[in-house]
Amino acid sequence: MPESTFRMSTAFRHGRTKVDDLYFEAPFKLMTPFHDGAHTDCMVMLASPGFLGGDVAHIDCTFGADTDTTMRTQSYEKVLDTADGEAKRTIDLTVLDNAKAVFLPFPVIPFAHSVFSNVTNAHIGAQSSFMYADVVTCGRVGMGERWKMRRFSSSIRVYVDEASEEGGPRSPRPHGDGEESAPRLVFADRLLLEPDRFTYTDTAMWREFTHCGMAYLHVPRRESRRTQMTAEDELVERIRALAHDRGPRGEIGVSRQNEGIAVRLLADRGDDAFGFLAEVAQLLR
């Protein structure tokens, strides 16, 4: 797939979250969505062995007001040997007010000599519920291949847009001097793996663990900063309790951000890391 695009939007109709608009190019596909009341599970399929050098994938999803959607990928995403090139992916997410959206792809496996970059930008409404998760392995662990990739980079920026009376993101508001204000950046994270420059098995790095995961969660904005902090603190405690009771073997950290909550974990099994983040996503339901 030299360059391909997947674009989807959802809308709430007749008590269900439905796919309102859909466009994709090979090798992208969308499995028939699964409906459970107002909630809809969507699975993005990639009919290819994995990312190769020169591949560029674009994913663009808009989740309409009042919808309730979980986006998943079909399986572990492989980044094959990119030779002298690199593979790239961009993810653009828009979540309108009163929508619930979870973007939960399976872990990424960077093969030996691979170069891969992922850039995610999310624009969410202040009254939306949102979660984005990302898990990466240190290589094909089951085959004894660890830290053989050339470079892996994954970044995310989350912006909160003010709500309009119509329930969607509002255009930038003018200040008194006539300038317009941009959506507010509330969370940014970047993971960079370059084994030729750093030793990830050292103390304060990954140590003996083989999988690293992160998640960002946003709850609908409350009427005051105090009640907002209380709601976020309650969710933090619920995630910590979940980690204590059923979390994977490893390290898990949960903290409140400028607006929202961040989760970071180290584990030694991809299924455990992914399964834990999937359980965290249920806390938003």
Side-chain angles (χ1 to χ4, degrees):
M1 57 168 183
E3 186 162 358
S4 55
T5 298
F6 176 92
R7 187 166 57 245
M8 187 188 84
S9 63
T10 64
F12 189 75
R13 295 196 183 96
H14 310 295
R16 278 188 175 184
T17 297
K18 297 188 176 183
V19 175
D20 187 52
D21 185 54
L22 178 65
Y23 170 83
F24 56 82
E25 300 165 334
F28 280 119
K29 292 182 179 180
L30 180 69
M31 182 177 287
T32 302
F34 299 93
H35 300 284
D36 181 11
H39 180 78
T40 295
D41 274 294
C42 296
M43 181 175 292
V44 181
M45 304 170 65
L46 199 63
S48 76
F51 287 92
L52 295 168
D55 287 351
V56 180
H58 304 286
I59 297 176
D60 188 342
C61 297
T62 298
F63 304 97
D66 302 315
T67 59
D68 185 354
T69 314
T70 296
M71 293 287 297
R72 303 175 187 269
T73 52
Q74 180 185 12
S75 63
Y76 281 63
E77 299 179 293
K78 304 176 183 69
V79 184
L80 307 178
D81 184 348
T82 56
D84 295 329
E86 65 176 311
K88 300 179 180 179
R89 181 176 65 185
T90 62
I91 301 173
D92 292 292
L93 307 174
T94 302
V95 185
L96 303 189
D97 271 335
N98 301 315
K100 295 180 182 178
V102 173
F103 195 90
L104 187 64
F106 270 92
V108 178
I109 306 174
F111 282 39
H113 314 301
S114 64
V115 178
F116 180 74
S117 68
N118 179 85
V119 177
T120 299
N121 286 287
H123 287 258
I124 64 177
Q127 302 302 321
S128 66
S129 297
F130 172 69
M131 175 175 165
Y132 175 89
D134 187 15
V135 179
V136 63
T137 84
C138 66
R140 292 186 293 174
V141 178
M143 301 185 67
E145 184 181 289
R146 303 187 182 197
W147 304 115
K148 300 298 184 181
M149 76 286 284
R150 285 193 289 135
R151 190 172 188 271
F152 177 91
S153 174
S154 182
S155 64
I156 177 174
R157 288 175 176 260
V158 180
Y159 300 86
V160 170
D161 297 318
E162 295 297 331
S164 70
E165 293 180 358
E166 291 76 25
R170 176 164 54 187
S171 58
R173 294 180 298 173
H175 290 295
D177 56 4
E179 295 182 357
E180 293 186 339
S181 61
R184 188 162 61 92
L185 177 67
V186 296
F187 179 75
D189 182 82
R190 187 189 185 200
L191 175 68
L192 175 64
L193 302 178
E194 290 185 307
D196 289 341
R197 296 182 58 196
F198 304 99
T199 303
Y200 292 95
T201 54
D202 282 350
T203 301
M205 301 292 272
W206 287 36
R207 306 195 308 281
E208 76 275 16
F209 298 111
T210 56
H211 295 70
C212 180
M214 65 76 58
Y216 171 80
L217 297 91
H218 179 271
V219 297
R221 187 178 293 171
R222 303 305 198 264
E223 61 276 8
S224 70
R225 181 59 179 162
R226 181 182 294 247
T227 54
Q228 179 75 20
M229 292 171 61
T230 298
E232 291 174 349
D233 285 339
E234 289 175 352
L235 183 54
V236 166
E237 291 306 315
R238 293 177 67 192
I239 297 173
R240 287 175 177 168
L242 178 65
H244 179 269
D245 295 339
R246 299 198 299 277
R249 191 191 81 84
E251 306 284 347
I252 301 175
V254 188
S255 60
R256 192 162 47 78
Q257 303 299 299
N258 181 33
E259 183 169 341
I261 295 164
V263 180
R264 175 74 72 184
L265 66 87
L266 289 169
D268 51 17
R269 293 188 72 248
D271 287 349
D272 291 346
F274 178 82
F276 174 74
L277 293 177
E279 288 195 73
V280 170
Q282 293 298 315
L283 300 179
L284 283 180
R285 297 294 302 277

